[in-house]
Amino acid sequence: MRVIRHRGRIALAMMLSATLAAATACAGDDTKSDGGADQKITLNVDDFGTFGYQDLYKQYEAQHPNIKINERNVPKLDDYTPRLQQWIAAGAGAGDVVAIEEGIMVKFKSQPDKFVDLKKYGASSLQGNFIPWKWEGGMSPDGSKLIGLGTDVGSIGLCYRSDLFKKAGLPTDRDAVTKLWPTWDDFIATGKKFTGKVGGDTKFIDSPETYYNTILMQEAGKGSNQTYFDQSNKFVMESNPAVKAAWDETVKMSQAGLANGVQFLSDQWSQALKKDAFATAPCPAWMLGLIKEFGGSGQSGKWDVAGIPGGGGSWGGSWLAVPSQSKHPKEAADLAKFLTSPQGQIGAFKAANNLPSSPQALNDAAVKAFSNPYFNNAPVGKIYGPAATSLKPVYLGADNQEVRQAVEADIRAIAQGKLSPGSGWSKAVSDAKKASGTG
């Protein structure tokens, strides 16, 4: 699987270089299209991670014989973002439909001229198909253009290996496991018990940065609804208690020996997953698809889903947008509307467990009753669905991803023993300032 991915990346890079060299800028007219009714059109879709669209693509192509869909997936968001930025800035190379994750949405919304106004293609009437804040999140800063249609939201649970918990003498039933950790300190105490029983190469948590980001979004959602930047994009990391609380709790996990220090979604992370090298991972709904994909059939039934310490929260979620450079904006907008429709979101949920941002989809019996056999038949519709409509969006600034990556590097360095907890915070703040261009 890994070799195939690398081949895919190389091939993709070559294809994109050729595209950038050959393409001519075509930004401007939101209503242009050179596709006649009988002309075969290929729509390129750029996304990352696991969106669960394969069956939906086949369905759409069957209903639209003149449309061929070519998905250009990049596994890691951190690899996908700079490519999308390059394509958008160059005015060429981007797909006809592009996925934009919440952490980079502010950056792209600041360039509304680079995207078509989906309201011009019949999306104005679709507002009721989305949770209000998800719809608003797709609007341009001045509210005049609809840049993106919501795909999913990131309600958080916690995935755990029931077989490893049994080995450690811990409860394995998901309700009993949830009761182990009302708070993150309780979670750390459970991790110490686990480590005392299992030990060896198996750590309690997957990666310190996944827990850091989870706690950060939880804490931000409880108070300021912001992380590194305020609504005016002023850098506020040092004064935002949500950031420091997430940092301190994660450092405690590393000091307790619960973390192995691998980078999330790196080759080391996927190998650790396959080799039983960690027992828990924060699980926004979209994480279920990643664990299944990287864990493979050998771990089917060994994972389960419990409640997250510290209450609920949200991490992740995306929109689909149509760059103004697309030669087929009408057809691309129609595809984006189909994929983000209530039925499209139900299909994506069944395929990859990406939690719908559509109230109709969330209330659909197929979602409510859905259980995931890979996760010991966990009732994921019941676990994730009820909290989705009460989630509050957290503001993420235009330079969120650059700052996040800088802070994550320092939180990993502590887990790896390369940075002392005592000096880690000041270094993280300094590195974050540099990444944001404020220091």
Side-chain angles (χ1 to χ4, degrees):
M1 177 67 76
R2 186 177 60 188
V3 173
I4 293 173
R5 285 185 180 283
H6 282 301
R7 285 175 179 170
R9 290 176 187 175
I10 293 170
L12 177 61
M14 294 174 65
M15 176 184 68
L16 296 178
S17 296
T19 301
L20 282 168
T24 56
C26 53
D29 182 6
D30 276 358
T31 59
K32 65 182 179 296
S33 178
D34 60 1
D38 299 325
Q39 183 178 350
K40 192 77 172 182
I41 292 173
T42 296
L43 296 178
N44 290 316
V45 178
D46 290 324
D47 61 17
F48 55 89
T50 305
F51 273 76
Y53 285 160
Q54 295 307 314
D55 288 343
L56 292 170
Y57 291 152
K58 294 176 183 177
Q59 180 182 341
Y60 195 81
E61 287 174 335
Q63 295 172 349
H64 302 79
N66 66 319
I67 299 292
K68 176 178 173 55
I69 300 171
N70 177 39
E71 184 182 56
R72 306 188 302 190
N73 178 265
V74 177
K76 289 178 63 177
L77 175 65
D78 289 352
D79 295 331
Y80 171 80
T81 302
R83 296 175 184 181
L84 182 59
Q85 287 177 309
Q86 180 184 4
W87 294 327
I88 296 300
D96 299 283
V97 177
V98 299
I100 302 179
E101 197 262 353
E102 66 169 7
I104 58 177
M105 188 59 172
V106 172
K107 182 184 290 290
F108 287 109
K109 282 173 57 171
S110 67
Q111 310 167 65
D113 59 312
K114 301 293 187 182
F115 299 91
V116 306
D117 183 0
L118 294 169
K119 291 186 296 184
K120 294 184 178 180
Y121 297 98
S124 296
S125 62
L126 304 179
Q127 184 170 355
N129 286 353
F130 299 90
I131 296 171
W133 63 263
K134 193 70 179 183
W135 173 266
E136 293 298 325
M139 300 295 293
S140 61
D142 65 1
S144 64
K145 295 181 68 173
L146 179 63
I147 293 173
L149 290 170
T151 59
D152 62 316
V153 293
S155 291
I156 305 175
L158 198 142
C159 292
Y160 67 99
R161 283 281 299 270
S162 58
D163 58 326
L164 296 178
F165 270 46
K166 183 178 181 180
K167 186 178 180 181
L170 294 170
T172 59
D173 174 77
R174 64 181 70 95
D175 292 332
V177 170
T178 300
K179 292 178 181 177
L180 289 173
W181 45 57
T183 68
W184 283 107
D185 284 346
D186 294 325
F187 177 80
I188 292 172
T190 303
K192 290 178 179 177
K193 292 178 183 177
F194 177 92
T195 302
K197 292 286 187 178
V198 177
D201 294 330
T202 301
K203 298 294 185 180
F204 190 57
I205 71 173
D206 68 323
S207 170
E209 63 207 61
T210 58
Y211 282 87
Y212 168 75
N213 286 312
T214 296
I215 299 171
L216 175 59
M217 296 301 283
Q218 274 188 326
E219 292 298 318
K222 293 175 183 176
S224 62
N225 288 320
Q226 59 192 27
T227 58
Y228 305 111
F229 301 90
D230 65 14
Q231 295 280 342
S232 66
N233 282 320
K234 178 184 176 183
F235 184 77
V236 296
M237 176 179 174
E238 292 172 281
S239 60
N240 186 352
V243 183
K244 190 62 165 60
W247 175 273
D248 289 344
E249 206 68 55
T250 311
V251 167
K252 284 194 287 185
M253 293 181 191
S254 293
Q255 290 176 312
L258 308 186
N260 56 24
V262 299
Q263 183 177 9
F264 178 50
L265 288 183
S266 64
D267 289 343
Q268 291 79 13
W269 183 89
S270 61
Q271 288 301 310
L273 172 61
K274 292 178 180 176
K275 294 180 178 178
D276 303 340
F278 58 81
T280 68
C283 265
W286 48 264
M287 180 75 93
L288 301 178
L290 293 176
I291 288 179
K292 180 180 179 181
E293 178 181 353
F294 289 107
S297 59
Q299 294 192 3
S300 181
K302 294 180 179 179
W303 285 95
D304 209 322
V305 187
I308 193 82
S314 176
W315 176 23
S318 300
W319 288 261
L320 295 184
V322 177
S324 54
Q325 63 187 255
S326 171
K327 295 181 179 178
H328 312 293
K330 177 184 181 302
E331 291 81 4
D334 286 343
L335 176 59
K337 289 188 293 183
F338 168 77
L339 295 172
T340 58
S341 68
Q343 288 304 312
Q345 293 195 37
I346 291 170
F349 176 76
K350 289 180 177 178
N353 291 161
N354 292 335
L355 191 65
S357 60
S358 162
Q360 296 93 325
L362 288 167
N363 288 319
D364 189 274
V367 172
K368 287 184 173 180
F370 187 78
S371 297
N372 192 322
Y374 192 89
F375 290 84
N376 193 28
N377 291 313
V380 293
K382 181 180 178 181
I383 292 172
Y384 289 104
T389 55
S390 61
L391 294 175
K392 296 180 180 179
V394 172
Y395 180 79
L396 302 170
D399 294 321
N400 171 76
Q401 180 159 315
E402 291 83 354
V403 171
R404 173 180 61 76
Q405 290 173 322
V407 177
E408 286 175 353
D410 289 325
I411 205 80
R412 279 197 307 275
I414 291 175
Q416 294 165 350
K418 298 178 180 177
L419 179 64
S420 72
S423 59
W425 173 250
S426 59
K427 183 176 187 303
V429 171
S430 176
D431 290 343
K433 286 181 177 178
K434 293 176 183 175
S436 68
T438 60

